[in-house]
Coordinates of all heavy atoms in Angstrom, one line a residue:
M814 N 0.8 -1.2 0.0 CA 0.0 0.0 0.0 C 0.9 1.2 0.0 O 1.9 1.3 0.7 CB -0.9 0.0 1.3 CG -1.6 1.2 1.5 SD -2.8 1.1 2.9 CE -3.9 -0.1 2.3
T815 N 0.5 2.3 -0.7 CA 1.2 3.5 -0.8 C 0.7 4.5 0.2 O -0.4 4.3 0.8 CB 1.2 4.2 -2.2 OG1 -0.2 4.6 -2.4 CG2 1.6 3.2 -3.3
V816 N 1.5 5.5 0.5 CA 1.1 6.6 1.4 C -0.2 7.3 0.9 O -1.2 7.5 1.6 CB 2.2 7.7 1.5 CG1 1.7 8.9 2.3 CG2 3.4 7.1 2.2
N817 N -0.3 7.5 -0.4 CA -1.6 8.1 -1.0 C -2.8 7.2 -0.7 O -3.8 7.7 -0.4 CB -1.4 8.3 -2.5 CG -0.6 9.6 -2.8 OD1 -0.6 10.5 -2.0 ND2 0.1 9.6 -3.9
E818 N -2.6 5.9 -0.9 CA -3.7 4.9 -0.6 C -4.1 5.0 0.9 O -5.3 4.9 1.2 CB -3.3 3.5 -1.1 CG -3.2 3.4 -2.6 CD -2.6 2.1 -3.0 OE1 -1.8 1.5 -2.2 OE2 -2.8 1.7 -4.2
L819 N -3.1 5.1 1.7 CA -3.3 5.1 3.1 C -4.1 6.4 3.5 O -5.0 6.3 4.3 CB -1.9 5.2 3.8 CG -1.9 4.9 5.3 CD1 -2.3 3.5 5.6 CD2 -0.4 5.1 5.8
I820 N -3.8 7.5 2.9 CA -4.5 8.7 3.2 C -6.0 8.5 2.9 O -6.8 9.0 3.7 CB -4.0 9.9 2.3 CG1 -2.6 10.3 2.8 CG2 -4.9 11.1 2.3 CD1 -1.8 11.2 1.8
H821 N -6.3 7.9 1.8 CA -7.7 7.7 1.4 C -8.4 6.6 2.2 O -9.6 6.7 2.4 CB -7.8 7.5 -0.1 CG -7.4 8.7 -0.9 ND1 -8.0 9.9 -0.9 CD2 -6.3 8.9 -1.6 CE1 -7.4 10.8 -1.6 NE2 -6.3 10.2 -2.1
E822 N -7.7 5.6 2.6 CA -8.3 4.4 3.2 C -8.7 4.8 4.7 O -9.7 4.3 5.1 CB -7.4 3.2 3.2 CG -7.2 2.6 1.9 CD -8.4 1.9 1.4 OE1 -9.1 1.2 2.2 OE2 -8.7 2.0 0.2
L823 N -7.9 5.5 5.4 CA -8.2 5.7 6.8 C -9.4 6.7 7.2 O -10.1 6.3 8.1 CB -7.0 6.1 7.6 CG -6.0 4.9 7.9 CD1 -4.9 5.4 8.7 CD2 -6.7 3.8 8.5
P824 N -9.6 7.8 6.7 CA -8.8 8.7 6.0 C -7.8 9.5 7.0 O -8.1 9.6 8.1 CB -9.8 9.7 5.4 CG -10.9 9.7 6.4 CD -10.9 8.3 7.0
L825 N -6.8 10.0 6.3 CA -5.8 10.9 7.0 C -5.7 12.2 6.4 O -6.0 12.3 5.2 CB -4.4 10.2 7.0 CG -4.3 8.9 7.7 CD1 -3.0 8.2 7.4 CD2 -4.4 9.1 9.2
T826 N -5.3 13.2 7.1 CA -5.2 14.6 6.5 C -3.7 14.7 6.1 O -2.8 14.6 6.9 CB -5.5 15.7 7.6 OG1 -6.9 15.5 8.0 CG2 -5.3 17.1 7.0
P827 N -3.5 15.0 4.8 CA -2.1 15.2 4.4 C -1.6 16.6 4.8 O -2.3 17.6 4.6 CB -2.2 15.1 2.8 CG -3.6 15.3 2.5 CD -4.4 15.0 3.7
I828 N -0.4 16.6 5.4 CA 0.2 17.9 5.8 C 1.3 18.2 4.8 O 1.3 19.3 4.3 CB 0.8 17.8 7.2 CG1 -0.4 17.6 8.2 CG2 1.6 19.0 7.6 CD1 0.0 17.4 9.7
T829 N 2.1 17.2 4.5 CA 3.1 17.4 3.4 C 3.3 16.0 2.8 O 3.5 15.0 3.6 CB 4.4 18.0 3.9 OG1 5.3 18.0 2.8 CG2 5.1 17.2 5.0
V830 N 3.1 15.9 1.5 CA 3.2 14.6 0.9 C 4.1 14.7 -0.4 O 3.6 14.7 -1.5 CB 1.8 14.0 0.5 CG1 2.0 12.6 0.0 CG2 0.9 14.0 1.8
P831 N 5.4 14.8 -0.2 CA 6.3 15.0 -1.4 C 6.5 13.6 -2.1 O 7.0 13.6 -3.2 CB 7.6 15.5 -0.8 CG 7.6 15.1 0.7 CD 6.1 15.1 1.1
D832 N 6.2 12.5 -1.4 CA 6.4 11.2 -2.0 C 5.2 10.3 -1.7 O 5.3 9.3 -1.0 CB 7.7 10.6 -1.5 CG 8.1 9.3 -2.2 OD1 7.5 9.0 -3.2 OD2 9.1 8.7 -1.7
G833 N 4.1 10.6 -2.3 CA 2.8 9.9 -2.0 C 2.8 8.4 -2.5 O 2.0 7.6 -2.1
D834 N 3.7 8.1 -3.5 CA 3.8 6.8 -4.0 C 4.7 5.9 -3.2 O 4.9 4.7 -3.5 CB 4.3 6.8 -5.5 CG 3.3 7.5 -6.4 OD1 2.1 7.4 -6.1 OD2 3.7 8.2 -7.3
R835 N 5.3 6.4 -2.1 CA 6.1 5.6 -1.2 C 5.3 4.4 -0.6 O 4.2 4.6 -0.1 CB 6.7 6.5 -0.1 CG 7.5 5.8 0.9 CD 9.0 5.7 0.5 NE 9.7 4.9 1.4 CZ 10.6 5.4 2.4 NH1 10.8 6.7 2.5 NH2 11.2 4.6 3.2
E836 N 5.9 3.2 -0.6 CA 5.2 2.1 -0.1 C 5.3 2.1 1.4 O 6.2 2.5 2.0 CB 5.9 0.8 -0.6 CG 5.7 0.5 -2.1 CD 4.2 0.1 -2.4 OE1 3.6 -0.6 -1.5 OE2 3.7 0.5 -3.4
V837 N 4.2 1.6 2.0 CA 4.1 1.5 3.5 C 4.1 0.0 3.8 O 3.2 -0.8 3.3 CB 2.8 2.1 4.0 CG1 2.7 1.9 5.5 CG2 2.7 3.6 3.7
E838 N 5.1 -0.5 4.6 CA 5.2 -1.9 4.9 C 5.4 -2.0 6.4 O 6.5 -2.2 6.9 CB 6.3 -2.5 4.1 CG 6.1 -2.5 2.6 CD 7.3 -3.0 1.9 OE1 8.2 -3.6 2.5 OE2 7.2 -3.0 0.6
G839 N 4.4 -1.9 7.2 CA 4.5 -2.0 8.6 C 4.2 -0.7 9.3 O 4.1 0.3 8.7
V840 N 4.2 -0.8 10.6 CA 3.8 0.3 11.5 C 4.7 0.3 12.7 O 5.0 -0.7 13.2 CB 2.4 0.3 11.9 CG1 2.0 1.4 12.8 CG2 1.4 0.2 10.7
Y841 N 5.1 1.5 13.1 CA 5.8 1.7 14.4 C 5.2 2.8 15.2 O 4.9 3.8 14.6 CB 7.3 2.0 14.2 CG 8.1 1.8 15.5 CD1 8.5 0.6 15.9 CD2 8.4 2.9 16.3 CE1 9.2 0.4 17.1 CE2 9.0 2.8 17.5 CZ 9.4 1.6 17.9 OH 10.1 1.4 19.1
I842 N 5.0 2.6 16.5 CA 4.4 3.6 17.3 C 5.4 4.0 18.4 O 6.0 3.1 19.1 CB 3.1 3.2 18.0 CG1 2.1 2.6 17.0 CG2 2.5 4.3 18.9 CD1 1.0 1.9 17.6
G843 N 5.7 5.3 18.5 CA 6.6 5.7 19.6 C 6.8 7.2 19.6 O 6.7 7.9 18.6
D844 N 7.1 7.7 20.8 CA 7.3 9.1 21.0 C 8.7 9.5 21.5 O 9.1 10.6 21.5 CB 6.3 9.7 22.0 CG 4.9 9.6 21.5 OD1 4.7 9.8 20.2 OD2 4.0 9.3 22.3
L845 N 9.5 8.5 21.9 CA 10.8 8.7 22.4 C 11.7 8.6 21.1 O 11.9 7.5 20.6 CB 11.2 7.6 23.4 CG 12.6 7.8 24.0 CD1 12.8 9.2 24.7 CD2 12.9 6.7 25.0
L846 N 12.2 9.7 20.7 CA 12.8 9.8 19.4 C 14.1 8.9 19.2 O 14.2 8.2 18.2 CB 13.2 11.2 19.0 CG 12.0 12.2 19.0 CD1 12.5 13.6 18.6 CD2 11.0 11.7 18.0
S847 N 14.9 8.8 20.2 CA 16.0 7.9 20.1 C 15.6 6.4 20.0 O 16.3 5.6 19.3 CB 17.0 8.1 21.4 OG 16.3 7.8 22.6
W848 N 14.5 6.1 20.7 CA 14.0 4.7 20.6 C 13.5 4.4 19.2 O 13.7 3.4 18.6 CB 12.9 4.6 21.6 CG 12.5 3.2 22.0 CD1 11.5 2.4 21.4 CD2 13.1 2.4 23.0 NE1 11.5 1.2 22.0 CE2 12.5 1.2 23.0 CE3 14.2 2.6 23.9 CZ2 12.8 0.1 23.9 CZ3 14.5 1.6 24.7 CH2 13.8 0.4 24.7
V849 N 12.8 5.4 18.6 CA 12.2 5.2 17.2 C 13.4 5.1 16.2 O 13.4 4.2 15.4 CB 11.3 6.4 16.9 CG1 10.9 6.3 15.4 CG2 10.1 6.5 17.8
M850 N 14.4 5.9 16.4 CA 15.6 5.9 15.5 C 16.2 4.5 15.5 O 16.6 4.0 14.4 CB 16.6 6.9 16.0 CG 17.1 7.7 14.9 SD 18.2 9.1 15.5 CE 18.5 8.9 17.2
G851 N 16.2 3.8 16.6 CA 16.9 2.5 16.7 C 16.0 1.3 16.4 O 16.5 0.2 16.2
R852 N 14.7 1.6 16.3 CA 13.8 0.4 16.2 C 12.8 0.5 15.1 O 12.4 -0.6 14.6 CB 13.0 0.2 17.5 CG 13.9 -0.3 18.6 CD 13.2 -0.3 20.0 NE 14.1 -1.0 21.0 CZ 15.1 -0.5 21.5 NH1 15.6 0.7 21.2 NH2 15.8 -1.2 22.5
A853 N 12.4 1.6 14.6 CA 11.5 1.7 13.4 C 12.2 1.1 12.2 O 13.5 1.3 12.0 CB 11.1 3.1 13.2
Q854 N 11.5 0.4 11.4 CA 12.0 -0.2 10.2 C 11.8 0.7 9.0 O 10.8 1.5 8.9 CB 11.4 -1.5 9.9 CG 11.5 -2.5 11.1 CD 13.0 -2.9 11.3 OE1 13.6 -3.4 10.3 NE2 13.5 -2.8 12.5
G855 N 12.6 0.6 8.0 CA 12.4 1.3 6.7 C 11.0 1.0 6.2 O 10.6 -0.2 6.3
D856 N 10.4 1.9 5.6 CA 9.0 1.8 5.0 C 7.9 1.6 6.0 O 6.8 1.4 5.6 CB 9.0 0.7 4.0 CG 9.9 1.0 2.8 OD1 10.0 2.2 2.4 OD2 10.4 0.0 2.2
N857 N 8.2 1.8 7.3 CA 7.1 1.8 8.3 C 6.4 3.1 8.3 O 6.9 4.1 7.9 CB 7.7 1.7 9.7 CG 8.0 0.3 10.2 OD1 8.5 0.1 11.3 ND2 7.7 -0.8 9.4
A858 N 5.1 3.1 8.6 CA 4.4 4.3 9.0 C 4.6 4.5 10.4 O 4.5 3.6 11.2 CB 2.9 4.1 8.7
W859 N 5.1 5.7 10.8 CA 5.4 6.0 12.2 C 4.4 6.8 12.8 O 4.1 7.9 12.4 CB 6.8 6.7 12.2 CG 7.2 7.3 13.6 CD1 6.8 6.8 14.8 CD2 8.0 8.4 13.8 NE1 7.4 7.6 15.8 CE2 8.1 8.6 15.2 CE3 8.7 9.2 12.9 CZ2 8.9 9.6 15.7 CZ3 9.5 10.3 13.5 CH2 9.6 10.4 14.9
I860 N 3.7 6.3 13.9 CA 2.7 7.0 14.6 C 3.2 7.7 15.8 O 3.9 7.0 16.6 CB 1.5 6.1 15.0 CG1 0.9 5.3 13.7 CG2 0.4 6.8 15.7 CD1 0.0 4.2 14.1
T861 N 3.0 8.9 16.0 CA 3.5 9.7 17.1 C 2.6 10.9 17.4 O 1.8 11.3 16.6 CB 5.0 10.2 16.8 OG1 5.5 10.8 18.0 CG2 5.0 11.1 15.7
I862 N 2.9 11.5 18.6 CA 2.3 12.8 18.9 C 3.3 13.9 19.0 O 3.0 15.0 19.2 CB 1.5 12.7 20.3 CG1 2.4 12.3 21.4 CG2 0.3 11.8 20.1 CD1 1.8 12.6 22.8
M863 N 4.6 13.5 18.7 CA 5.6 14.5 18.7 C 5.5 15.3 17.4 O 5.2 14.8 16.3 CB 7.0 13.8 18.7 CG 7.3 13.0 19.9 SD 7.3 13.9 21.4 CE 8.8 14.9 21.2
S864 N 5.8 16.6 17.5 CA 5.6 17.5 16.3 C 6.8 18.4 16.1 O 6.7 19.3 15.3 CB 4.3 18.2 16.4 OG 4.3 19.1 17.5
N865 N 7.9 18.3 16.9 CA 9.0 19.2 16.7 C 9.8 18.9 15.5 O 9.7 17.8 14.9 CB 9.8 19.3 18.0 CG 10.5 18.0 18.4 OD1 11.0 17.3 17.5 ND2 10.4 17.7 19.7
L866 N 10.8 19.7 15.2 CA 11.6 19.6 14.0 C 12.4 18.3 14.0 O 12.7 17.7 13.0 CB 12.6 20.8 13.9 CG 13.3 20.9 12.6 CD1 12.4 20.9 11.4 CD2 14.2 22.1 12.7
N867 N 12.7 17.7 15.2 CA 13.5 16.5 15.3 C 12.8 15.3 14.6 O 13.4 14.3 14.3 CB 13.8 16.2 16.7 CG 14.8 17.2 17.3 OD1 15.6 17.8 16.5 ND2 14.7 17.4 18.6
I868 N 11.4 15.3 14.5 CA 10.7 14.2 13.9 C 11.2 14.0 12.4 O 11.2 12.9 11.9 CB 9.2 14.3 14.0 CG1 8.6 15.5 13.2 CG2 8.8 14.2 15.4 CD1 7.1 15.5 13.1
V869 N 11.5 15.1 11.8 CA 11.9 15.0 10.4 C 13.3 14.3 10.3 O 13.5 13.4 9.4 CB 12.0 16.4 9.7 CG1 12.5 16.3 8.3 CG2 10.6 17.1 9.7
A870 N 14.2 14.7 11.2 CA 15.5 14.0 11.2 C 15.4 12.5 11.5 O 16.0 11.7 10.8 CB 16.4 14.7 12.2
V871 N 14.5 12.2 12.5 CA 14.4 10.8 12.8 C 13.7 10.0 11.7 O 14.1 8.9 11.4 CB 13.5 10.7 14.1 CG1 13.1 9.2 14.4 CG2 14.3 11.2 15.3
A872 N 12.7 10.6 11.0 CA 12.1 9.9 9.9 C 13.0 9.7 8.8 O 13.0 8.6 8.2 CB 10.9 10.8 9.4
T873 N 13.9 10.6 8.6 CA 14.9 10.5 7.5 C 15.9 9.4 7.9 O 16.2 8.5 7.1 CB 15.7 11.8 7.3 OG1 14.7 12.8 6.9 CG2 16.7 11.7 6.2
L874 N 16.4 9.4 9.1 CA 17.4 8.4 9.6 C 16.8 7.0 9.6 O 17.5 6.0 9.2 CB 17.9 8.7 10.9 CG 18.9 9.9 11.0 CD1 19.1 10.3 12.4 CD2 20.2 9.6 10.3
A875 N 15.6 6.8 10.0 CA 14.9 5.5 10.1 C 14.3 5.1 8.7 O 13.9 4.0 8.6 CB 13.8 5.6 11.2
D876 N 14.3 6.0 7.8 CA 13.7 5.8 6.5 C 12.3 5.3 6.5 O 11.9 4.4 5.7 CB 14.6 4.8 5.7 CG 14.3 4.8 4.2 OD1 13.9 5.9 3.7 OD2 14.5 3.8 3.6
V877 N 11.5 5.9 7.4 CA 10.1 5.5 7.4 C 9.3 6.1 6.2 O 9.8 7.1 5.6 CB 9.4 6.0 8.7 CG1 10.0 5.3 9.9 CG2 9.4 7.5 8.9
S878 N 8.2 5.5 5.8 CA 7.5 6.0 4.7 C 6.7 7.2 5.0 O 6.4 8.1 4.1 CB 6.6 4.9 4.1 OG 5.7 4.4 5.1
C879 N 6.2 7.4 6.2 CA 5.5 8.6 6.6 C 5.4 8.7 8.1 O 5.6 7.7 8.8 CB 4.1 8.5 6.0 SG 3.0 7.2 6.6
I880 N 5.1 9.9 8.5 CA 4.8 10.1 10.0 C 3.3 10.4 10.0 O 2.8 11.2 9.3 CB 5.6 11.4 10.5 CG1 7.1 11.2 10.3 CG2 5.2 11.7 11.9 CD1 7.9 12.6 10.5
I881 N 2.7 9.7 11.0 CA 1.3 10.0 11.2 C 1.2 10.6 12.6 O 1.5 10.0 13.6 CB 0.4 8.7 11.1 CG1 0.6 8.0 9.8 CG2 -1.1 9.0 11.5 CD1 -0.1 6.7 9.7
L882 N 0.7 11.9 12.6 CA 0.5 12.6 13.9 C -0.9 12.3 14.4 O -1.8 12.6 13.7 CB 0.8 14.1 13.6 CG 2.1 14.5 13.1 CD1 2.2 16.0 12.8 CD2 3.2 14.1 14.1
A883 N -0.9 11.7 15.5 CA -2.2 11.3 16.1 C -2.8 12.5 16.9 O -2.1 13.4 17.2 CB -2.0 10.1 17.0
E884 N -4.1 12.4 17.3 CA -4.8 13.3 18.2 C -4.8 14.7 17.7 O -4.6 15.7 18.5 CB -4.2 13.1 19.6 CG -4.4 11.7 20.1 CD -4.0 11.6 21.6 OE1 -4.2 12.5 22.4 OE2 -3.6 10.5 22.0
D885 N -4.9 14.9 16.4 CA -4.9 16.3 15.8 C -3.7 17.1 16.1 O -3.8 18.4 16.1 CB -6.2 17.0 16.3 CG -7.4 16.8 15.4 OD1 -7.2 16.5 14.2 OD2 -8.5 17.0 15.9
V886 N -2.6 16.5 16.3 CA -1.3 17.2 16.5 C -1.0 17.9 15.1 O -1.1 17.3 14.1 CB -0.2 16.3 17.0 CG1 1.1 17.0 16.9 CG2 -0.5 15.8 18.4
T887 N -0.6 19.2 15.2 CA -0.2 19.9 14.0 C 1.2 20.5 14.2 O 1.4 21.2 15.1 CB -1.2 21.0 13.7 OG1 -2.5 20.5 13.7 CG2 -0.9 21.7 12.4
P888 N 2.1 20.2 13.2 CA 3.4 20.7 13.3 C 3.5 22.2 12.9 O 2.6 22.7 12.2 CB 4.2 19.9 12.4 CG 3.2 19.5 11.3 CD 1.9 19.3 12.1
D889 N 4.5 22.9 13.3 CA 4.6 24.3 12.9 C 5.1 24.4 11.5 O 5.5 23.4 10.9 CB 5.4 25.1 13.9 CG 6.9 24.7 14.0 OD1 7.5 24.3 13.0 OD2 7.5 24.9 15.1
E890 N 5.1 25.6 11.0 CA 5.5 25.8 9.6 C 6.9 25.4 9.2 O 7.2 24.8 8.2 CB 5.3 27.3 9.2 CG 5.1 27.5 7.7 CD 4.0 26.7 7.0 OE1 2.9 26.6 7.6 OE2 4.3 26.2 5.9
Q891 N 7.8 25.6 10.2 CA 9.2 25.2 9.9 C 9.3 23.7 9.7 O 10.1 23.2 8.9 CB 10.1 25.6 11.1 CG 11.6 25.3 10.8 CD 12.5 25.6 12.0 OE1 12.0 25.9 13.1 NE2 13.8 25.6 11.8
V892 N 8.6 22.9 10.5 CA 8.6 21.4 10.4 C 8.0 21.0 9.0 O 8.6 20.2 8.3 CB 7.8 20.8 11.6 CG1 7.7 19.3 11.3 CG2 8.4 21.1 12.9
I893 N 6.9 21.7 8.6 CA 6.3 21.3 7.4 C 7.2 21.7 6.2 O 7.4 20.8 5.3 CB 5.0 22.1 7.2 CG1 4.0 21.6 8.3 CG2 4.4 22.0 5.8 CD1 2.7 22.5 8.4
E894 N 7.9 22.8 6.2 CA 8.8 23.2 5.1 C 10.0 22.3 5.1 O 10.4 21.9 4.0 CB 9.2 24.6 5.3 CG 8.2 25.7 5.1 CD 8.6 27.1 5.5 OE1 9.8 27.3 5.8 OE2 7.7 27.9 5.5
T895 N 10.5 21.9 6.2 CA 11.7 21.0 6.3 C 11.3 19.7 5.8 O 12.1 19.0 5.0 CB 12.3 21.0 7.7 OG1 12.6 22.3 8.1 CG2 13.5 20.1 7.7
A896 N 10.2 19.2 6.2 CA 9.8 17.8 5.8 C 9.6 17.8 4.3 O 10.0 16.9 3.6 CB 8.5 17.5 6.5
A897 N 8.9 18.8 3.7 CA 8.7 18.9 2.3 C 10.1 18.9 1.5 O 10.2 18.2 0.5 CB 7.9 20.1 1.9
S898 N 11.0 19.6 2.0 CA 12.3 19.7 1.4 C 13.1 18.5 1.5 O 14.0 18.2 0.6 CB 13.1 20.9 1.9 OG 13.6 20.7 3.2
K899 N 12.9 17.7 2.6 CA 13.6 16.4 2.8 C 12.9 15.2 2.2 O 13.4 14.1 2.4 CB 13.9 16.2 4.3 CG 14.7 17.3 4.9 CD 16.1 17.2 4.6 CE 16.9 18.3 5.4 NZ 18.3 18.4 5.0
G900 N 11.7 15.4 1.7 CA 11.0 14.3 1.1 C 10.3 13.5 2.1 O 10.0 12.3 1.9
V901 N 9.9 14.1 3.3 CA 9.3 13.3 4.4 C 7.8 13.6 4.3 O 7.3 14.7 4.4 CB 9.8 13.7 5.8 CG1 9.1 13.0 6.9 CG2 11.3 13.4 5.8
N902 N 7.0 12.5 4.2 CA 5.5 12.6 4.2 C 5.0 12.7 5.7 O 5.4 11.9 6.5 CB 4.9 11.3 3.6 CG 5.3 11.1 2.2 OD1 5.2 12.0 1.4 ND2 5.8 9.9 1.9
I903 N 4.2 13.7 5.9 CA 3.6 13.9 7.2 C 2.0 13.9 7.0 O 1.5 14.7 6.2 CB 4.0 15.2 8.0 CG1 5.5 15.2 8.2 CG2 3.3 15.3 9.3 CD1 6.1 16.4 8.9
L904 N 1.4 13.1 7.8 CA -0.1 13.0 7.8 C -0.6 13.2 9.2 O 0.1 13.1 10.2 CB -0.5 11.6 7.3 CG 0.3 11.0 6.1 CD1 -0.1 9.6 5.9 CD2 0.0 11.9 4.9
S905 N -1.9 13.5 9.3 CA -2.5 13.8 10.6 C -3.8 13.0 10.7 O -4.5 12.8 9.7 CB -2.7 15.3 10.8 OG -3.3 15.6 12.0
S906 N -4.1 12.7 12.0 CA -5.4 12.1 12.3 C -6.0 12.6 13.6 O -5.2 13.0 14.5 CB -5.2 10.6 12.5 OG -6.4 9.9 12.9
D907 N -7.3 12.7 13.7 CA -7.9 13.1 14.9 C -8.0 11.9 15.9 O -8.4 12.1 17.1 CB -9.2 13.8 14.7 CG -10.3 12.9 14.0 OD1 -9.9 11.8 13.5 OD2 -11.4 13.2 14.0
K908 N -7.7 10.8 15.5 CA -7.8 9.5 16.3 C -6.6 9.4 17.2 O -5.6 10.0 17.0 CB -7.9 8.3 15.4 CG -8.9 8.3 14.3 CD -10.3 8.3 14.9 CE -11.3 8.2 13.8 NZ -12.6 8.8 14.1
T909 N -6.7 8.6 18.2 CA -5.6 8.3 19.1 C -4.6 7.4 18.4 O -4.9 6.8 17.3 CB -6.0 7.6 20.4 OG1 -6.5 6.3 20.0 CG2 -7.1 8.4 21.2
A910 N -3.4 7.3 18.9 CA -2.4 6.4 18.3 C -2.9 5.0 18.3 O -2.7 4.3 17.3 CB -1.1 6.5 19.1
Y911 N -3.6 4.6 19.3 CA -4.2 3.2 19.4 C -5.2 3.0 18.2 O -5.2 2.0 17.6 CB -4.8 3.0 20.7 CG -5.6 1.7 20.7 CD1 -4.9 0.4 20.9 CD2 -7.0 1.6 20.5 CE1 -5.6 -0.7 20.8 CE2 -7.7 0.5 20.5 CZ -7.0 -0.7 20.7 OH -7.7 -1.9 20.6
E912 N -6.1 4.0 18.1 CA -7.1 3.9 17.0 C -6.5 3.8 15.6 O -6.9 3.1 14.8 CB -8.1 5.0 17.2 CG -9.0 5.0 18.4 CD -9.8 6.2 18.6 OE1 -9.2 7.4 18.4 OE2 -10.9 6.1 19.1
V913 N -5.5 4.7 15.4 CA -4.8 4.7 14.1 C -4.1 3.3 13.9 O -4.3 2.7 12.8 CB -3.8 5.8 14.0 CG1 -3.0 5.7 12.7 CG2 -4.5 7.2 14.0
A914 N -3.4 2.8 14.9 CA -2.7 1.5 14.8 C -3.7 0.4 14.6 O -3.5 -0.5 13.8 CB -1.9 1.3 16.1
A915 N -4.8 0.4 15.3 CA -5.8 -0.6 15.1 C -6.4 -0.6 13.7 O -6.6 -1.7 13.1 CB -6.9 -0.5 16.1
A916 N -6.6 0.6 13.1 CA -7.1 0.7 11.8 C -6.1 0.1 10.8 O -6.4 -0.6 9.8 CB -7.5 2.1 11.5
L917 N -4.8 0.5 11.0 CA -3.8 0.0 10.1 C -3.6 -1.5 10.2 O -3.4 -2.2 9.2 CB -2.5 0.7 10.4 CG -2.4 2.2 10.1 CD1 -1.1 2.8 10.7 CD2 -2.5 2.4 8.6
A918 N -3.7 -2.1 11.4 CA -3.7 -3.5 11.6 C -4.8 -4.2 10.9 O -4.7 -5.2 10.2 CB -3.7 -3.9 13.1
G919 N -6.0 -3.6 10.9 CA -7.2 -4.1 10.2 C -7.0 -4.1 8.7 O -7.6 -4.8 8.0
M920 N -6.1 -3.2 8.2 CA -5.8 -3.2 6.8 C -4.6 -4.1 6.4 O -4.2 -4.1 5.3 CB -5.4 -1.7 6.4 CG -6.5 -0.7 6.6 SD -6.0 1.0 6.6 CE -5.3 1.1 5.0
G921 N -4.1 -4.8 7.4 CA -3.1 -5.8 7.1 C -1.7 -5.3 7.3 O -0.7 -5.9 6.9
L922 N -1.5 -4.1 7.8 CA -0.2 -3.5 8.1 C 0.4 -3.9 9.4 O -0.3 -4.0 10.4 CB -0.2 -2.0 7.9 CG -0.3 -1.5 6.5 CD1 -0.5 0.0 6.4 CD2 0.9 -2.0 5.6

């Protein structure tokens, strides 16, 4: 499944989607950035409530397919601009991290 397909299936709100054709293969949930960096797998959708600039760096290092911000978290403009320039997809949901993960599990991720 691609990021664009994920947006429409759940649905999710796109914040920045420079690579909507990126494949999503699995899910990781975490808010401790150093933990995510060492444990998220490439092509995972990463669910978090963190919204500072460091999420872009972690997403790049872990090579996740997208960041899904749960609970209506919205990043500031600097995060959005940096993510777009680095090719990092950021999506948002009004659901809790658990609800987003359960929906993704129901989709086979």
Side-chain angles (χ1 to χ4, degrees):
M814 168 174 298
T815 67
V816 171
N817 283 330
E818 291 168 338
L819 195 64
I820 290 168
H821 296 292
E822 290 290 322
L823 280 185
L825 297 167
T826 302
I828 294 175
T829 178
V830 186
D832 188 8
D834 293 327
R835 176 86 187 257
E836 288 292 323
V837 179
E838 298 177 5
V840 180
Y841 192 82
I842 305 169
D844 298 320
L845 184 59
L846 300 180
S847 60
W848 199 265
V849 175
M850 228 174 4
R852 289 174 171 75
Q854 302 295 307
D856 295 325
N857 279 175
W859 170 27
I860 303 169
T861 186
I862 59 167
M863 299 296 295
S864 64
N865 63 42
L866 189 56
N867 292 332
I868 64 171
V869 177
V871 170
T873 302
L874 288 169
D876 196 30
V877 297
S878 57
C879 62
I880 301 168
I881 301 174
L882 300 175
E884 301 188 30
D885 271 335
V886 170
T887 304
D889 65 32
E890 199 57 41
Q891 182 184 15
V892 173
I893 294 169
E894 290 171 8
T895 303
S898 72
K899 301 283 185 189
V901 175
N902 298 310
I903 300 179
L904 316 172
S905 180
S906 174
D907 61 348
K908 308 293 185 209
T909 66
Y911 172 79
E912 291 169 324
V913 174
L917 292 171
M920 297 167 58
L922 290 173

